[in-house]
């Protein structure tokens, strides 16, 4: 598989250093609220990446942490008058439920930052011994950026800027997320402050808590060793987070940290940035309330290439619904041609071990994935092949093979077949689907009179609507 490397700024073939398992680390969610669909663009793409690797016969070890101590989790747990643990555990549970709904394979390891404070303290001690860290007058411990020669190598920072900043004490920042391009010594250990409340731990430098960047370095080392195959996150993490991780880890170990860097470009909403104040920060639950499914969101999130910004709109969700239905109908036609009576329904495969598969049909779509994880091209190729397949000319065993390969390519993308709105071979007329869709939207908007009127109209036309948790089903009236 080939993937663009942020550090080398070129496409590179991926290899497992130990020849056995491809070991990679993804920065996980900060659990202080529900993850939004932007976060999930990153997590879904990392998931497709892992599926494609596994389908090519490569074993993987996937580590994704839980950021359960940082400036934001502490601030918001205190505002909610809850202990940090109680607060972050509840959001972790919610995050895992969303991941499951979105058909994300569970990481092999999911370390919590709070559970690894001793490893973080040990890493700082090592950096102190090697002259890369110092305790400042504010009692916090900082990484001395000028002591690490290749600082800035990932984000390709201007060297002049580097020399200007980072002199001991003067340009030190304690914030986890500081301004882009502000090259400064960053906090490894933050001395206890009143606003931290009960959230502090002992250390050789006094009570305090770890800096966010340090947490990931320590967890990478604990689960993957000094060097591992790939590190990933959204593009906002390139600087300062990943730059700082490299500095801490390589200054301590003297070895290359991650051999490959994979960054996912941000998701935009309605052409702009997502933000709470603009009211356009969607979560999975927000979309489900509007009658969409997690499978449809997953489709939208992979419909753009990870190296380009992707613009999310509600219309793109409606288009995904239709596209998935087209796939499901094509699957159904193949199944019928193969002489099978089963329904092409989605299994929502969440097995941790997807095995190697050789494609006969949909091979070109799979190749798009092997070539820089080109998910939109893969989707395009699935549709072209479905259009070109002359199902009624296939022999039963060919139809069965095409059906099986269609399932495999969807497995690579992590998509499920939606329920085809058909009962006993009855096709739902477009007018009926339209009315049913309007009724569902009215129901979501709590316009009860309108929704009831549409239900009656459907009944008059011979169709009954049955509502489920995430959507509805249409059945012809007997
Ligand atoms: P956080 O929970 O903020 O630590 O972020 C979790 C992951 O989501 C990180 O890899 C971020 O880079 C990524 N992320 C945050 N916002 C977006 C966005 N709008 N689009 C894509 N990825 C994002
Ligand atoms: Zn991280």
């Amino acid at each position: 598989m080939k993937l663009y490397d942020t550090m080398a700024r070129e496409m590179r073939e991926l290899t497992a250093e130990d020849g056995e398992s491809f070991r990679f680390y993804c920065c996980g969610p900060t659990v202080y609220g529900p993850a939004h669909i932007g976060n999930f663009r990153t997590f879904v793409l990392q998931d497709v990446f892992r599926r494609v690797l596994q389908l090519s016969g490569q074993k993987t070890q996937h580590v994704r942490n839980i950021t359960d101590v940082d400036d934001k989790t502490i601030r918001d747990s205190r505002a909610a008058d809850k202990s940090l643990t109680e607060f972050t555990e509840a959001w972790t549970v919610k995050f895992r439920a969303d991941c499951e709904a979105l058909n994300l394979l569970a990481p092999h390891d999911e370390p919590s930052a709070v559970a690894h404070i001793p490893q973080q303290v040990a890493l700082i001690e090592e950096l102190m011994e090697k002259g890369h860290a110092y305790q400042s007058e504010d009692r916090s411990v900082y990484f001395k950026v000028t002591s690490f020669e290749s600082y800035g190598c990932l984000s390709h920072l201007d060297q002049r800027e580097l020399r200007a900043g980072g002199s001991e004490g003067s340009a030190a920042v304690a914030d986890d997320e500081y301004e882009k391009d502000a090259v400064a010594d960053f906090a490894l250990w933050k001395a206890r402050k009143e606003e931290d409340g009960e959230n502090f731990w002992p250390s050789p430098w006094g009570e305090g808590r770890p800096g966010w960047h340090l947490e990931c370095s320590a967890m990478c080392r604990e689960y993957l060793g000094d060097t591992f195959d790939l590190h990933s996150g959204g593009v906002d993490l390139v600087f300062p987070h990943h730059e700082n991780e490299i500095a801490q880890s390589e200054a301590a170990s003297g070895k290359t940290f991650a051999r490959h860097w994979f960054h996912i470009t941000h998701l935009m909403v309605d052409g702009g940035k997502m933000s709470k104040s603009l009211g356009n920060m969607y979560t999975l639950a927000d979309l489900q309330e509007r009658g969409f499914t997690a499978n449809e969101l997953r489709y939208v999130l992979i419909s753009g290439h990870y190296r380009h910004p992707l613009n999310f709109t509600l219309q793109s969700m409606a288009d995904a619904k239709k596209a998935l239905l087209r796939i499901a109908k094509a699957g159904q036609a193949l199944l019928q041609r193969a002489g099978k009576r089963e329904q092409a329904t989605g299994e929502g495969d969440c097995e941790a071990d997807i095995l190697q598969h050789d494609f006969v049909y949909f091979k070109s779509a799979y190749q798009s994935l092997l070539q820089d994880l080109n998910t939109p091209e893969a989707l395009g190729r699935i549709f072209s092949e479905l259009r070109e397949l002359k199902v009624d000319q296939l022999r039963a065993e060919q139809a069965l093979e095409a059906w099986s390969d269609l399932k495999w390519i969807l497995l690579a993308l992590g998509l499920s077949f939606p329920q085809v709105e058909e009962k006993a071979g009855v096709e739902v007329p477009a007018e009926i689907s339209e009315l049913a869709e309007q009724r569902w939207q009215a129901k979501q908007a709590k316009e009860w009179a309108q929704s009831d009127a549409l239900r009656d109209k459907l009944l008059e036309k011979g169709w009954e609507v049955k509502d489920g948790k995430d959507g509805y089903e249409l059945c012809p009236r007997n």
Side-chain angles (χ1 to χ4, degrees), residues 83-118:
S83 74
L84 184 64
T85 311
E86 189 190 355
F87 181 77
T88 56
E89 272 181 6
W91 287 118
T92 304
V93 167
K94 174 81 184 103
F95 173 69
R96 291 203 183 114
D98 283 357
C99 288
E100 204 179 318
L102 281 161
N103 208 19
L104 294 173
L105 299 170
H108 299 100
D109 299 290
E110 202 181 26
S112 122
V114 166
H116 294 79
I117 304 269

Side-chain angles (χ1 to χ4, degrees), residues 334 337-338 360-361 389-391 393-405:
L334 286 170
R337 184 73 193 162
V360 174
Y361 296 89
L389 261 184
K390 306 262 179 298
V391 177
Q393 290 170 22
L394 294 179
R395 290 195 308 277
E397 65 272 19
Q398 287 175 314
L400 194 61
E401 183 154 40
W403 157 248
S404 160
D405 283 352

